[in-house]
Amino acid sequence: MKKYITIGCLFLLIGACQETKSNFELPILGRTKIISKEVNGIITKDTISHRIADFSFVNQDSTTVTNSSFKDKIYVADFFFINCPSICPEMSKQMYRIYEKFLENDHVRLLSHTIDPEYDTVAALANYARLLGVNSEKWQFVTGDKQQIYDIGETSYMVVANEDDKAPGGFIHSGAFLLIDKERQVRGVYDGTVTSQVDLLMRDINKLLTSYEP
Amino acid sequence: MNHNYLFFFFLYFLIVSCNSYQKPAESYLPENLYEVSQTKFIQYLIQGKILYISKCSHCHQHSGEGFRKLYPGLIKSTTLMNDIGPAACIIKYGTKGMERVPNLSISMPAQAELSNLEIAEILTYIGNSWGNQMGFISVNNVEKNLVNCTSH
């Protein structure tokens, strides 16, 4: 019996090693679309992977933030609001861990969207970032048109955010952290309120960075 | 066999965790203790700790140390130390709309669902942990102070 367990463990170990060695690729999440187009009378099919749609928001410095602000960067996105009584304090704490860990790495950015743009004005976000003590080059807090924020949350980042009088703070929303690559693709979804999930995210960031190395 | 071990481990765990609840009482016995029984004080500490962990610790952190400048620490907090009045009001009604120095902090949400007893338990716990020494805080004391809250 003992022998079997030992052998089983050995296999597991070997298996685990191999996985880290060979499997550098993170999955590309989201539905791929197949579009057919006609070129010179011939119908060809093209697959398009799920990508973050175009957006334009304003950050804590009143600077406009668009997709091109993240050109050649990978970034972690989340959705929060300042007066969130429940999960956001833990999310901020976990995001701050990522901030500290990748502070010196210019390829990594953080993007937090407020889902309460009425209250979370540019000034409020600037205050929040100042209290957190983070630089806006690295970690942007953005506000903007409410519908655009909710839409991009739902359709691009695939998370839920909604107003709900009965929920704590007046909003229901997901505590997900999303890892986005340089091609605007979602490469991972993590629970931003769980330390071990964020540990995994930080390992995946390194993995993704490695995949861009020549 | 295994079950026995588990049972003892559980017992040990219980004893250890009970001990840790009593620690604040051992390290600091309030001067007004003659007014209440020590048992009551310890009951408040235990109940207060349970409430603190579920209602407050995700902002003020497990050991009251706070997080960055977003969530103030409760260790030797001046608001807390000066007078329990403002602290009781803040816990029940939050700080939204209060005349605090602008941009010094974000506001704390109201927790109106907390009963006066629960507030007394929480205050007794945070008031006598991590080096704070405020002594026993009674329900009456909380009740008296909540009448005078200015913003709600």
Side-chain angles (χ1 to χ4, degrees), chain A residues 82-83 85-86 88-90 92-93 96 119 127-128 130-133, chain B residues 58-59 61 67-71 96 102-109:
Chain A
I82 293 176
N83 278 327
S86 50
C88 311
E90 187 58 32
S92 295
K93 199 174 138 191
Y96 188 78
Y119 183 87
N127 187 37
Y128 190 86
R130 187 184 54 79
L131 291 168
L132 203 49
Chain B
H58 54 290
C59 288
Q61 305 305 305
F67 175 61
R68 310 292 295 161
K69 288 185 183 144
L70 275 182
Y71 305 112
K96 211 169 177 174
N103 282 353
L104 206 65
S105 65
I106 59 171
S107 58
M108 174 163 144

